[in-house]
Amino acid sequence: MSTVRAKKHLGQHFLNDKHAAQKIVEALEPALGFKQVLEVGPGMGVLSDFLLQKDTYETWLIDVDEESIAFLADKYSQLGNKLIHGDFLTLDFDQFFGDKMAVIGNFPYNISSQILFKVLEERGRVVQMVGMFQKEVAERCVAKPGSKEYGILSVFLQAYYNVQYLFTVKAGAFNPPPKVLSGVIKMTRNDRNTLDCDEKLFWRVVKAAFNQRRKTLRNALSAVVLKDNMSDNPLYELRAERLSVEDFVTLTNEIANAIHQNNR
């Protein structure tokens, strides 16, 4: 098999710029202590070629596309069971990986958010992720409070990771070329193991805040806690996009206390 057809329904755009591929792989930092790297959606292996040159970690590949798997099995016969035919979004990490690993990929743009939330689910072991997304998504991941790109994804990712925008890749670097620019980001686990609040409530608060982002939080969060039970904290007078992760933690604790008082 000499090539793999890019499939629209899988969101495949194969990177064919080897310089960009090498830069993505070189952004990984094995000094963080991971010994396994999982590449998601390797396609025809342009990233894999550089990953497999490294001896500081084991390279694993996962692809849902049967044609890609057949191509990669022939190209990298040495991989054996480190080539996984499956869906990253439903992968049981316990079955394959230890307590520290990294994730890398030219990710399918149609499931970008799901991939990022899967990484968040596995934040206990994924100490770093380097990957290519649609530029608009990449910018949302790194956005800071006060910018129009700042949203739910920004808050959730930055709660647990330091997120950096590395570089932009033009459409011509892919086959077939996408209709958008692409951006490469690096996410490195911060030292926050748990948030200083009820994490489930934190997620509820952040989602409610941004679902009505044009409203002040006193109005946007009234579905989570009654306005009468909100304090006079000035954070309630702001819109969601003005709050940092720490501000959302502060509000979550206030709301938890208000709900507790109301239920007594």
Side-chain angles (χ1 to χ4, degrees), residues 125-226:
R125 79 178 92 216
V126 179
V127 296
Q128 192 164 65
M129 189 214 74
V130 178
M132 180 120 59
F133 296 93
Q134 184 175 329
K135 188 170 188 278
E136 183 183 308
V137 174
E139 288 173 341
R140 287 214 307 268
C141 295
V142 302
K144 297 300 178 194
S147 67
K148 67 180 192 303
E149 293 82 16
Y150 187 69
I152 292 173
L153 203 54
S154 322
V155 175
F156 288 165
L157 293 178
Q158 292 171 35
Y160 299 103
Y161 287 90
N162 298 322
V163 192
Q164 300 166 260
Y165 190 98
L166 299 184
F167 58 94
T168 302
V169 182
K170 292 183 177 176
F174 301 87
N175 181 33
K179 294 177 181 176
V180 293
L181 292 173
S182 303
V184 177
I185 62 169
K186 173 159 70 172
M187 304 191 338
T188 306
R189 196 70 175 80
N190 62 25
D191 55 7
R192 190 185 274 130
N193 289 321
T194 55
L195 296 177
D196 223 1
C197 64
D198 177 331
E199 293 192 18
K200 284 186 179 176
L201 183 58
F202 174 85
W203 287 56
R204 264 186 78 201
V205 167
V206 172
K207 284 179 179 176
F210 281 102
N211 283 342
Q212 300 190 69
R213 63 185 298 151
R214 292 189 177 183
K215 294 184 177 181
T216 65
L217 292 169
R218 194 168 296 280
N219 291 315
L221 296 179
S222 58
V224 181
V225 61
L226 295 173

